[in-house]
Amino acid sequence: MKKNIFKEFTKGLFKENPILIIMLGLCSCLAVSTDVSNALGMSLGFSFVLIISELLVSIFRKIIPNEVRIPIFLIFIAVPTTIVDLVMKAYFPSLSKSMGVFIPLIVVNCIVLGRIEAFSYKKNFVENLMDSLGMALGYSWVIIVLSIIREIFGKGTFLGIRVMPEVYQPMSILTSPPGGFFLIAVFIALLNGILKRRS
Amino acid sequence: MKNIIKSGLTVFIIATIGTLLLAWVYSFTSPKIEEQKFLTIKNAIEEIFPNQTEFNEIPEYKNKVIENNINIITIYKVELQDGKEGFIIRATYSGYGGKVESLFGYQDQNCKGVYVLEHSETPGLGSLITSKDFTNQFINKNLKDPFIVKEDVQAITGATISSRAISNAIKIIGKFYLENIYGGNK
């Protein structure tokens, strides 16, 4: 039993990684991973929303009527998202400015709705806690690593500070969506290769 | 029938609780958000006019639509140390991803700078309209210049529409400024 619960946590990191294996939410992932600071802000906001909404659904799943579950799920996602948006605007104005529309767009992020519909609605509180933590961490590490590569090689900076020598010509393709897709593809290939070799 | 009522009521109750929660969060974040906004406006005005001594709103130019999608929110008159005056026009206009809100600084017949307060342009591309590399080209630019992107205005790579929106707004609001405020003051 203990082992099973731990598995719910670790599966989100690699084996069922929301971006690299389930391949959901690629749009926001591409859009915010151009800067490390944006990626950090997005991971925090996204993790908060995912964890709160999965837990809410697991608590209320017994009283949610099956035929109106989707609107209720959306309320459970939209409320924490709006809270994140308001808090960011009030306390981290510069971060919220650079993330633009992508914080409110967490509402329609397929990972959240996907996890809730496929997992939370059927599982209990502890399993949901583990699943949401794992998924949030799985999402975060991918976009943070992506953003580190894209910012250092695409802009020559790290967290806005110049780290590459002046002569280095930034590969601006990395900051554009095609470059991001290419990097994600490389990540997917690597992860699939590793997982295959292991099994 | 019973099912419909039960489902409807459940959604209703959950939505009400959600709304109340949001109202509560909004009640303590909104003064903070306003404060932050005022602070950014103040900083931006100081950035555009480094030698400013004080600035005041001109009440008669509140919420004025001057051309399609260009809407002036307020105009500030800025007193400068050398006795001259500049004007800051806070306005919204359409960008690529929706409304953009900016401060435009004008003095005599020149644009003195632009500061983007709020936008929903594509992060990494259109969002670069906030960067100094882009906005610095408008400092001390004569308002009689054509303000055409890729000619006398350097566009952001991959964000021509955003670049065009901002330079058009400077030109059109600048025209309004020359006709109504600058001329009227002389």
Side-chain angles (χ1 to χ4, degrees):
Chain A
M1 186 63 197
K2 264 249 156 77
K3 219 176 168 188
N4 265 339
I5 283 173
F6 194 64
K7 239 184 197 156
E8 301 290 5
F9 174 70
T10 51
K11 72 174 195 289
L13 296 180
F14 300 104
K15 240 179 91 204
E16 284 182 37
N17 188 287
I19 296 175
L20 300 178
I21 305 293
I22 310 176
M23 289 189 221
L24 287 176
L26 288 179
C27 166
S28 64
C29 161
L30 280 176
V32 299
S33 63
T34 52
D35 283 294
V36 179
S37 57
N38 280 1
L40 286 171
M42 184 67 180
S43 342
L44 281 179
F46 175 82
S47 306
F48 176 81
V49 173
L50 182 70
I51 293 167
I52 298 287
S53 50
E54 275 206 34
L55 292 182
L56 279 175
V57 170
S58 73
I59 292 169
F60 292 106
R61 74 196 161 106
K62 293 259 163 62
I63 60 159
I64 296 175
N66 195 43
E67 57 271 31
V68 289
R69 65 183 194 283
I70 301 287
I72 292 178
F73 292 167
L74 283 177
I75 296 170
F76 284 158
I77 302 168
V79 170
T81 306
T82 316
I83 293 177
V84 169
D85 191 31
L86 288 173
V87 169
M88 258 191 188
K89 270 195 183 131
Y91 301 100
F92 307 99
S94 61
L95 190 61
S96 117
K97 208 175 287 167
S98 65
M99 313 260 292
V101 75
F102 283 98
I103 288 292
L105 278 185
I106 297 176
V107 177
V108 286
N109 193 310
C110 343
I111 302 172
V112 187
L113 195 59
R115 287 323 291 168
I116 287 178
E117 170 74 2
F119 188 90
S120 310
Y121 197 48
K122 302 175 188 114
K123 303 285 169 109
N124 67 30
F125 187 83
V126 182
E127 284 168 311
N128 265 301
L129 182 68
M130 285 309 181
D131 178 76
S132 57
L133 284 174
M135 286 292 160
L137 223 62
Y139 179 86
S140 306
W141 84 255
V142 174
I143 66 166
I144 290 171
V145 173
L146 260 178
S147 70
I148 291 174
I149 298 174
R150 288 178 78 181
E151 195 180 338
I152 290 183
F153 293 103
K155 292 182 180 165
T157 58
F158 179 74
L159 285 169
I161 304 156
R162 202 165 179 89
V163 286
M164 294 303 253
E166 216 47 62
V167 286
Y168 173 76
Q169 189 71 39
M171 295 190 270
S172 46
I173 176 94
L174 280 180
T175 55
S176 63
F181 266 125
F182 182 74
L183 263 186
I184 290 185
V186 172
F187 274 41
I188 292 170
L190 279 176
L191 185 62
N192 275 332
I194 293 168
L195 288 178
K196 210 164 247 174
R197 190 159 293 177
R198 265 196 168 172
S199 63
Chain B
M1 188 61 201
K2 216 179 145 203
N3 244 340
I4 295 177
I5 293 172
K6 198 184 149 221
S7 309
L9 264 178
T10 321
V11 178
F12 174 73
I13 292 167
I14 289 177
T16 314
I17 295 170
T19 320
L20 286 176
L21 191 68
L22 281 186
W24 174 68
V25 174
Y26 182 77
S27 71
F28 68 82
T29 50
S30 74
K32 247 326 216 233
I33 294 173
E34 277 308 305
E35 202 179 293
Q36 297 280 13
K37 219 166 176 181
F38 181 74
L39 218 71
T40 39
I41 289 176
K42 195 169 161 262
N43 285 338
I45 292 178
E46 276 165 9
E47 206 181 296
I48 296 173
F49 292 110
N51 57 342
Q52 61 98 21
T53 51
E54 64 167 315
F55 58 90
N56 293 302
E57 256 178 72
I58 306 177
E60 66 248 46
Y61 294 112
K62 258 199 156 164
N63 294 323
K64 208 175 160 106
V65 184
I66 55 168
E67 201 158 301
N68 47 344
N69 299 323
I70 299 186
N71 189 1
I72 290 180
I73 301 175
T74 41
I75 299 184
Y76 299 96
K77 187 175 174 179
V78 187
E79 309 287 344
L80 304 176
Q81 273 165 14
D82 49 10
K84 288 184 182 159
E85 53 197 20
F87 291 90
I88 293 278
I89 301 183
R90 180 176 166 196
T92 59
Y93 50 97
S94 304
Y96 177 68
K99 259 193 185 153
V100 186
E101 188 179 336
S102 307
L103 297 178
F104 301 92
Y106 297 102
Q107 189 191 355
D108 296 333
Q109 301 201 10
N110 296 324
C111 171
K112 293 300 277 187
V114 196
Y115 190 94
V116 178
L117 291 171
E118 220 167 82
H119 71 86
S120 31
E121 305 300 283
T122 327
L125 289 170
S127 69
L128 292 177
I129 53 169
T130 56
S131 73
K132 291 269 167 312
D133 291 341
F134 176 68
T135 55
N136 276 355
Q137 64 177 316
F138 298 114
I139 295 178
N140 287 330
K141 195 167 166 55
N142 194 302
L143 288 171
K144 299 243 159 65
D145 285 355
F147 280 89
I148 292 170
V149 169
K150 289 177 181 162
E151 281 180 23
D152 64 326
V153 172
Q154 197 99 52
I156 295 162
T157 316
T160 319
I161 297 175
S162 308
S163 317
R164 192 180 295 144
I166 197 166
S167 60
N168 271 348
I170 299 175
K171 178 83 179 164
I172 292 165
I173 296 168
K175 215 176 126 206
F176 175 85
Y177 154 81
L178 285 178
E179 284 166 4
N180 296 281
I181 305 166
Y182 177 66
N185 245 16
K186 277 265 133 143

